[in-house]
Amino acid sequence: MKDNFGYIFRTQTTQGIWMAKAIGIEPFIVAIDVEGSDSRERGQGGATFEKQSAVFALAIADIVIINMWCHDIGREHAASRPLLKTVFEAMTRSFRSSKTSLLFVLRDQTMTPLELLQRLLRQDIERIWAAIAHADAHKRTPLDEFFNVEITALPSYELEEMKFTEQVARLRQRFFLSTSPGGLAGDRKDGQPASGLPLRAQQIWETVKKNKDLDLPPPQVLVATFRCEQIAKEKLSRLKLDETWLAMGEALKSGPVSEFGEKLSSILENYLCQYDKDAINHEESIRNENRRKLEAKALKVVRPAYVAMLQHLRSIALKSLQTRLERTVKEASGDGFEAAVDSCCQSRMRKFERGCEDATIRQVNDWVSLQVNVRESLRRDIETLKSEKKAEYEELIKAQKIKKVSDGAGILVRVGVAASLMAVGCDPVTATAVALAASTSTKRLIDKNI
């Protein structure tokens, strides 16, 4: 690991899983050193951890290096065979959109030609592949649909240190531009942001530790899901604390807010655009789905304010109509009253409708029922108010008619009494006084009995 990737984890690396950035290799490579199948430190639990670490490496890596001793090739009970079986079985349960490269490094090569070692090892690999239990979808799938298999060999470090160092240097060159076509990871299609690696590693390891089947989403799906949810949560929190939004909410407690719809639409659009900008590098379908969820949650936050705005518009329309109708009752006369009342009601409804349009939020498509409910409530209130004012008007007209009758009768009585008294010789002053008293009594009698 030191010669190939340029770092040393520690003097003893056979226990656990270690990760570090490869030094001096482009593109950026994170190397993972997992515990070997012959780990002395692990003890009796080594077999379990061996499988866990193998599955972990397979799930997270584009290139898996498998160290084997040359003398294990062809041996039925060689240490690497159970490991390969575990790797292959796990891979059939987690088919990736790109192949994983398996690089077999044969240690302590003997005089046996590399070509013969490669042929024998490939035969072993094919037999292991054929013997494992495949998922139904992959029963007839050949090995090379899942893996790119490459085999190389290194001499003994103790016996041929110089030659060993030279060949490791050549092997190191294979990792330069490894994601380019023809490189060790040239088939990779599911690249992911480096920021998502810790999350993905944690989730894969938790899954492996719980002995679940390795049924993990592709890397970009895991990372995109987590990051998009995180970004959406952050934007929603910022929306709730937005100063303009809080000021609008405070103002709504006492009355309507001018340009309500435009202001609130701009606030929502601002945070949705921030989400789009921060999530642009993630899987489109997941990004869009979380945007829809963010929008729905944001609208849920502002919905009470929208309802309050509609109620303000309704109250203003109703109060304005009541004031106008009271004046109309006093001013109108004859047949013009009905037309005046209808005109007032229609005018206030039109003003309410314009207010609703101005309060409309661009991001909303399904709040029509809210407007409908408030509008119908206003219509009912208007009809009730119309009935009340018509009743008042009718009472007023009736009173006016009674007054006219009363006044007319009083005049007739006064004139008649005065004329009669003067005809029998009563002096004019006395006749007038008596006639006025008779007129007043007559009017009171009429008012009382009509």
Side-chain angles (χ1 to χ4, degrees):
M1 296 293 285
K2 171 182 178 294
D3 292 330
N4 202 33
F5 296 109
Y7 59 81
I8 301 176
F9 287 113
R10 49 184 288 182
T11 57
Q12 183 272 108
T13 61
T14 58
Q15 189 169 11
I17 299 175
W18 298 76
M19 304 175 70
K21 178 185 180 300
I23 298 173
I25 297 180
E26 294 293 339
F28 187 101
I29 289 178
V30 173
I32 304 172
D33 193 7
V34 301
E35 183 171 318
S37 60
D38 56 352
S39 169
R40 173 173 57 84
E41 286 78 1
R42 180 62 58 179
Q44 293 182 355
T48 299
F49 188 80
E50 171 199 357
K51 292 181 180 180
Q52 292 174 339
S53 60
V55 171
F56 173 79
L58 178 70
I60 201 169
D62 295 305
I63 306 166
V64 177
I65 301 175
I66 301 174
N67 280 308
M68 290 183 63
W69 299 107
C70 276
H71 59 255
D72 276 344
I73 296 177
R75 292 172 55 191
E76 185 65 25
H77 300 290
S80 58
R81 291 184 71 89
L83 175 63
L84 288 177
K85 185 174 182 294
T86 298
V87 167
F88 290 163
E89 286 180 342
M91 195 61 177
T92 62
R93 297 196 301 271
S94 179
F95 190 70
R96 293 168 49 158
S97 59
S98 59
K99 297 179 184 179
T100 298
S101 294
L102 298 181
L103 177 58
F104 289 85
V105 179
L106 307 180
R107 303 295 298 273
D108 291 1
Q109 182 184 5
T110 60
M111 298 298 292
T112 306
L114 177 60
E115 293 77 10
L116 177 57
L117 294 172
Q118 289 174 333
R119 186 170 68 252
L120 292 173
L121 180 54
R122 285 185 182 276
Q123 290 173 355
D124 282 348
I125 293 171
E126 291 289 351
R127 281 196 294 269
I128 295 170
W129 177 257
I132 66 171
H134 293 275
D136 291 340
H138 305 304
K139 282 185 176 180
R140 299 180 181 274
T141 307
L143 175 70
D144 57 12
E145 294 249 349
F146 285 87
F147 301 102
N148 289 320
V149 177
E150 296 211 21
I151 303 171
T152 189
L154 295 175
S156 169
Y157 176 79
E158 293 182 355
L159 300 178
E160 299 177 272
E161 181 180 351
M162 186 175 296
K163 187 177 180 181
F164 176 89
T165 303
E166 291 173 356
Q167 292 195 19
V168 168
R170 284 200 294 271
L171 179 61
R172 174 182 167 84
Q173 292 300 314
R174 297 291 308 279
F175 290 87
F176 283 83
L177 304 178
S178 57
T179 57
S180 301
L184 283 173
D187 289 330
R188 187 179 71 164
K189 299 175 184 176
D190 52 356
Q192 58 177 305
S195 60
L197 179 60
L199 168 70
R200 176 158 170 77
Q202 179 183 356
Q203 291 180 326
I204 291 174
W205 185 247
E206 288 176 355
T207 300
V208 173
K209 285 283 287 182
K210 292 175 182 177
N211 293 319
K212 295 180 180 179
D213 285 344
L214 194 61
D215 186 20
L216 295 168
Q220 67 271 31
V221 173
L222 274 175
V223 174
T225 300
F226 176 79
R227 281 294 298 142
C228 290
E229 288 177 355
Q230 194 176 50
I231 293 168
K233 184 177 180 180
E234 176 199 354
K235 301 312 171 190
L236 186 64
S237 297
R238 291 191 176 186
L239 166 64
K240 293 177 180 179
L241 298 175
D242 185 271
E243 291 183 0
T244 304
W245 157 243
L246 293 176
M248 289 177 66
E250 191 64 29
L252 276 170
K253 293 179 181 179
S254 56
V257 174
S258 62
E259 299 180 341
F260 175 88
E262 184 59 34
K263 290 178 179 178
L264 195 49
S265 296
S266 297
I267 292 172
L268 292 171
E269 189 63 27
N270 175 45
Y271 289 102
L272 290 171
C273 286
Q274 287 184 28
Y275 169 86
D276 291 337
K277 181 179 179 181
D278 291 351
I280 188 64
N281 292 323
H282 296 292
E283 183 76 16
E284 182 178 4
S285 60
I286 296 172
R287 183 176 74 233
N288 292 342
E289 177 61 23
N290 279 278
R291 190 187 199 276
R292 285 190 289 270
K293 290 180 180 179
L294 170 61
E295 187 173 88
K297 290 178 180 179
L299 291 176
K300 188 176 180 180
V301 170
V302 304
R303 190 176 188 273
Y306 178 72
V307 172
M309 183 65 185
L310 293 182
Q311 291 296 344
H312 280 310
L313 294 174
R314 171 186 166 279
S315 297
I316 290 172
L318 197 60
K319 186 177 292 185
S320 173
L321 177 62
Q322 185 171 8
T323 302
R324 185 69 186 89
L325 288 182
E326 287 174 354
R327 190 162 63 246
T328 301
V329 168
K330 295 177 182 179
E331 296 174 352
S333 61
D335 296 336
F337 177 76
E338 291 281 349
V341 169
D342 290 340
S343 176
C344 286
C345 293
Q346 292 170 6
S347 172
R348 293 321 181 266
M349 280 301 300
R350 286 194 297 270
K351 189 171 183 179
F352 171 78
E353 296 288 356
R354 288 195 298 271
C356 288
E357 290 179 9
D358 291 340
T360 298
I361 302 171
R362 291 194 300 269
Q363 293 80 8
V364 174
N365 296 317
D366 58 352
W367 286 2
V368 177
S369 61
L370 295 177
Q371 279 193 28
V372 171
N373 291 339
V374 177
R375 185 186 298 113
E376 291 307 311
S377 174
L378 177 59
R379 287 189 191 280
R380 289 193 296 270
D381 291 339
I382 287 176
E383 290 301 319
T384 300
L385 191 58
K386 281 173 64 176
S387 299
E388 292 174 354
K389 294 307 175 185
K390 284 182 179 180
E392 286 182 19
Y393 177 73
E394 290 173 356
E395 288 294 325
L396 179 62
I397 295 300
K398 181 179 178 180
Q400 290 175 349
K401 288 180 179 180
I402 292 173
K403 187 175 186 305
K404 287 180 180 180
V405 171
S406 176
D407 289 346
I411 291 172
L412 289 174
V413 169
R414 186 174 62 188
V415 172
V417 169
S420 298
L421 291 174
M422 292 176 69
V424 295
C426 186
D427 64 274
V429 175
T430 302
T432 300
V434 172
L436 181 60
S439 172
T440 302
S441 298
T442 301
K443 288 170 63 177
R444 286 175 180 170
L445 182 62
I446 292 174
D447 291 343
K448 181 179 182 181
N449 290 280
I450 294 182

